[in-house]
Amino acid sequence: MSTEQTIAALGRESRTFEPPADFAANANVKADAYERAEKDRLGFWDEAAQRITWAEPYTDVLDWSGAPHAKWYVGGKLNATYNCVDRHVENGLGDRVAYHFEGEGGDTRTITYKNLQDEVCKAANALTALGVKTGDRVAIYMPMIPETVFAMLACARIGAPHTVIFGGFSAKAIADRVQDCGVEFVITADGGYRKGKASPLKAAVDEALTSCPDVHTVLVVKRTGQEVAWTEGRDKWWSDAVDGQSTEHTPEAFDAEHPLYIMYSSGTTGKPKGILHTTGGYMVGTSYTHYAVFDIKPETDVFWTAADIGWVTGHSYIVYGPLANATTSIMYEGTPDTPHQGRWWEIVQKYKATILYCAPTAIRTFMKWGHQIPAEYDLSSLRLIGSVGEPINPEAWVWYRKNIGGDRTPVVDTWWQTENGQILISPLPGVTATKPGAAMRPLPGIVADVFTEDGKPVGNNEGGYLVVKEPWPGMLRTLWGDDDRFQRTYWDRFPGVYFAGDGAKRDQDGDIWVIGRVDDVMNVSGHRLSTTEIESALVSHDAVAEAAVVGAADATTGQSIEAFVILKQSAHGGGEDIVATLRQHVRDEIGAIASPRSIMLVEELPKTRSGKIMRRLLRDIAENREPGDSTTLADSSVVDRIRSEVSGG
Ligand code: WTA
């Protein structure tokens, strides 16, 4: 939705929803947590850190003397995998299910904590045998299968930071990340199942690695059994390398600030940012928020984050948070409509899921498919449902609560980012009277605010920029290889304060509504994409002279990608073909998720006198709105000309 639409929609839904009385009475976290954290924030995070088993205790909760570079749990040592797996087995929970895995084609696997321990130990031994050392970065390009978790935890166990690359990215995108991160070791699979078909993964890795000479080993999980090309000496089957290894492996304790993983995410330039997370603070942040926001009762809950492990939501709430809390989770490989549009609800019914966490774009798709589809399934096991990744419009929120939550469950709209590592703004399900569409309040221990242009807190009923005023445990520590950009992107806009890049509004009660990005980042079906990145991809094609990309409001996907392209003289007359060619080019450069919905061929772009493209006006055109103020344009008639070109006039 556009900002205007969001604000308009905010006005329409004024109901609030109190937590059910029995939920509130049994909630893990009660209202006093806010007060305790406010009185003694570091004491609060000290207490939360007791959720983690430390091999060596920390001496200080936080060292912020090198701000904005935080050190949390100074001097503490721990192993993330030990915390996610071994300690639960030691505590007699070896038989508890860690994952109910459901393949897209209906194949299933049950992974207990003991199975997880065995598999992770074998994989860790294999990685070491193949030369992976502490500190080496390992890239993981995988479908949603249990081996993806085994691989991540094996890396964490030996202190080799992983960088998981979402399976929808192209060969070029893999190569960029592998090069930027200095990766020498890649884990992939032959393919994965998507929409009923075996889609290739290894082929993309093979292509990527033609420009990554430093990669010496590619470990390949056999998932689909499809044909793969094989580079002798470099490629090894996972089963050959892992299956024969010992299930014994002693986890080494690493410093709290040892890098756990790097996750690339789109920023406002063409180059993705390598967001670095470290071990101690991240484990505390994910474990605590998973416990507090999802009210996890590990003995009885069946938790389902319906997201991809290739994004931060999967890292924090399919892998590290839930496992740290000894939770039973569902992991589903495929798409929501394979083989039918009731697939998710069939899964909820089958495993008696108690908590579901997904993105608004999925919810809006289900709305479009119709409420009669979930109504065919027994969803009465659900006791809490959550939303993440983009603003949820009040209509979708209310639909979700009614048709999935049975008009009974609390809904938590959780705001956070790849950079944050953990949820920062969200209702507490046993405390907060929720408002449809509002993330409500910063969690206990989090100090977030909405700032005016000149860095003052806004008043009620005012909008501004979302900021975080105090460090939090799961925060990013820097951008891999680009500490200057870390400083510039997040800390220079308002000195000493974390600038999120989102716009937000405080309502009449002071509650926070997140509106969406205020920069050149788009949110398409919950995927973060940069306009500049797609523009660079377009311009890299021979036929293109100039390109401008904007995110236009879309009722289902949140935003859609609209490209305006000026062709080189030599490429004129290409017609529909050139549009198809350019669309494919973007898929090759970044991935299918970045493919523009429309590519409009225009003769010129609206620019200011200093030559800056005025994307705001292009958005007006793409959204079919009267263009706003164009007085700063070098040539004010250009908008009219573009509009007539676009409408075919
Ligand atoms: C948006 C996903 C409104 C926001 C965990 C943010 C949201 C970006 C919400 C981060 C929410 C995420 N309400 N907007 N509850 N959650 N966003 O890094 O624009 O993939 O900056 O992390 O998604 O996306 P990312």
Side-chain angles (χ1 to χ4, degrees), residues 1 28 62 173 226 251 266 287 298 340 366 387 455 493 548 570 572 591:
M1 270 204 289
N28 285 348
L62 171 68
Q226 68 202 98
S266 291
S287 159
H340 57 80
F366 297 134
S387 165
R493 180 70 179 77
S570 53
H572 273 272

Side-chain angles (χ1 to χ4, degrees), residues 313 389-391 413-418 502 514 517 523 528:
T313 303
E390 39 172 334
D413 172 18
T414 65
W415 176 84
W416 59 297
Q417 311 172 293
T418 307
D502 278 317
V514 181
R517 303 291 306 190
N523 200 321
R528 225 170 114 171

